[in-house]
Amino acid sequence: MDFDLTPEQQQLRDAVASLGRRYGHGYFVAKAKSGGHTTELWDEAGRLGYLGVNIPTEYGGGGGGITELSIVCEELAAAGCPLLLLVVSPAIAATVIGRHGTEAQRRRFLPGFADGSLKMVFAITEPEAGSNFHRLGTVARRSGDGWILSGRKCFISGVDEAPYVLVVARVADDEPDAAGRSASADGSASSATDRLKPALFIVPTDAPGLTRSKLDMEIVSPENQWLLYLDDVRLPADALLGSDTGADYRSGLAVGLPALFAGLNPERITVAAMAAGTARYAIERASTYTASRQVWGRPIGAHQGVSHPLAHAAVQVELARLMIAKAATLYDAGRDTEAGVAANLAKYASAEAAALAVDTAIQVHGGNGMTTDYGVATLLGAVRAGRIAPVSREMILNFVAQHVLRQPKTY
């Protein structure tokens, strides 16, 4: 068991931390409040190769894994610049295409992920389905050699910044049996209402029939959230992930569930890393303040009522970081089942630790903690949202109860 980073990983951590500090939380907040985006930081990180650390070298990437991408996510967040699109684009979309796309799709998209010139967002959440993605209402139907997509998506991050969105839909089975039923995964027949199969589609964000409306959020972030409306969006055959032509579309359908799950573990791990970095930033700001702010002739950090809550938060953050490292290591080793458990634990632990750290940092600042200048209250909305998305703490507890503790399923 080795808890040390490799020399290359340590160099990456130091370099990304240095880049993040050059921009800092003030830059992040200014962009968010002006309605702008962190384009300069993203572009520079891409030129330096940090956004493509998990992309194979044959497509222009760094040849690393989710461990390396987690380092990038954590260190930028620790500098006060938590970039949500790092999770959405290189962690989810690039991983899914790298693992399950055709060679043509990999060559078309992965080089852009590698140098940061391409952003691709991810659309799975729907207004009615919530956490139950088995009941997605977005449907893809065959039309000649292509596809027609119809449905709605919500809380889709960064659609205004990306030329493509990876849409999760359910595909209508065009070959029902004689009784009008289709075969289910276990070989049994299902009703017409269940005659749907999951698949992923690479959809241009300027496609006719695809429209969006902005969701107003009480979160200080340069990345916006959107509602998407897909009204008979027509797509070519190769928009189906894993399929080049209409003739081999079944190969794309076959990779639907594996491709979806291939993106969920990296999502949880990198979200956890971003949360841990945000927590580190808050604790650092608070520790600097409490060590220098003097009341009654001594630094307020000398009082245990101030220092102990900060110390407790720091312990929780370090424990979460250990689980993040374990989850990333398991994922990069191809141990997907174990990585799934660890990724959920990491996401839960880091979300709780980040919420605690930011809340504690605000408290020890007193009234200053609620001002923009001191740079901690601006993180409150984001870390609170981290306990809800991309999977809620309650659903993780359900997962642990069922899959770790072997309790009966309750939903």
Side-chain angles (χ1 to χ4, degrees):
M1 186 177 295
D2 187 355
F3 289 95
D4 291 330
L5 298 175
T6 67
E8 293 78 14
Q9 289 169 342
Q10 187 61 58
Q11 290 170 9
L12 175 66
R13 187 178 290 279
D14 293 342
V16 175
S18 177
L19 172 66
R21 285 193 296 269
R22 284 201 285 109
Y23 285 86
H25 192 57
Y27 163 83
F28 179 89
V29 172
K31 289 291 185 180
K33 292 194 171 184
S34 68
H37 301 303
T38 52
T39 306
E40 301 88 353
L41 174 55
W42 182 277
D43 289 347
E44 186 169 356
R47 287 195 301 271
L48 293 170
Y50 303 152
L51 304 182
V53 290
N54 61 316
I55 306 296
T57 55
E58 59 264 39
Y59 302 104
I66 294 302
T67 296
E68 284 73 22
L69 187 59
S70 294
I71 290 172
V72 176
C73 291
E74 182 183 347
E75 290 306 322
L76 287 179
C81 298
L83 301 187
L84 181 57
L85 286 189
L86 276 171
V87 174
V88 176
S89 192
I92 302 176
T95 298
V96 168
I97 292 174
R99 276 197 168 196
H100 294 285
T102 65
E103 181 58 25
Q105 290 167 341
R106 289 194 291 268
R107 293 197 177 279
R108 179 181 177 187
F109 295 109
L110 290 185
F113 286 118
D115 64 15
S117 61
L118 172 66
K119 295 176 183 175
M120 184 180 295
V121 295
F122 183 63
I124 182 172
T125 307
E126 294 184 358
E128 301 303 325
S131 297
N132 186 3
F133 69 83
H134 295 287
R135 292 295 181 184
L136 294 180
T138 300
V139 177
R141 293 181 174 85
R142 295 269 291 164
S143 176
D145 288 338
W147 300 90
I148 297 177
L149 263 63
S150 299
R152 292 187 301 161
K153 299 290 183 180
C154 62
F155 297 113
I156 309 307
S157 307
V159 177
D160 54 330
E161 300 183 61
Y164 295 96
V165 52
L166 187 60
V167 175
V168 182
R170 296 175 67 85
V171 176
D173 192 337
D174 58 0
E175 293 185 5
D177 64 17
R181 299 174 299 175
S182 61
S184 66
D186 62 2
S188 61
S190 59
S191 68
T193 57
D194 293 325
R195 196 183 305 145
L196 296 165
K197 299 177 181 178
L200 285 76
F201 293 86
I202 302 170
V203 182
T205 52
D206 61 357
L210 177 61
T211 56
R212 65 186 185 232
S213 61
K214 186 179 175 183
L215 283 164
D216 291 328
M217 307 290 290
E218 297 298 327
I219 297 174
V220 178
S221 173
E223 290 116 348
N224 297 315
Q225 300 294 316
W226 300 87
L227 286 165
L228 294 188
Y229 307 92
L230 299 103
D231 298 313
D232 292 339
V233 176
R234 293 185 175 272
L235 299 171
D238 63 359
L240 174 62
L241 184 79
S243 176
D244 279 315
T245 67
D248 73 348
Y249 75 94
R250 292 192 181 279
S251 63
L253 301 187
V255 306
L257 273 179
L260 177 58
F261 285 115
L264 295 184
N265 286 340
E267 177 188 44
R268 284 154 171 69
I269 295 167
T270 50
V271 162
M274 188 170 66
T278 300
R280 286 173 49 204
Y281 169 82
I283 290 172
E284 189 276 330
R285 296 284 293 184
S287 298
T288 299
Y289 180 81
T290 57
S292 58
R293 166 72 167 157
Q294 294 211 8
V295 179
W296 296 301
R298 68 180 64 188
I300 61 174
H303 301 288
Q304 292 179 350
V306 173
S307 62
H308 280 191
L310 274 179
H312 173 64
V315 170
Q316 301 310 305
V317 173
E318 286 305 302
L319 292 174
R321 294 181 74 203
L322 284 174
M323 184 52 69
I324 293 165
K326 178 179 180 179
T329 299
L330 288 170
Y331 184 85
D332 290 339
R335 295 161 63 178
D336 289 346
T337 300
E338 296 166 276
V341 174
N344 276 289
L345 296 178
K347 194 275 175 184
Y348 182 96
S350 64
E352 298 298 308
L356 175 65
V358 171
D359 186 67
T360 303
I362 293 171
Q363 188 68 26
V364 301
H365 275 84
N368 288 333
M370 298 304 298
T371 68
T372 300
D373 287 347
Y374 281 82
V376 285
T378 44
L379 300 168
L380 190 58
V383 296
R384 185 61 186 83
R387 301 175 77 204
I388 301 170
V391 57
S392 71
R393 66 190 299 275
E394 290 75 19
M395 288 304 296
I396 292 178
L397 292 174
N398 282 334
F399 176 90
V400 172
Q402 181 183 347
H403 296 283
V404 178
L405 303 180
R406 308 301 180 194
Q407 300 302 299
K409 190 173 183 179
T410 61
Y411 59 94

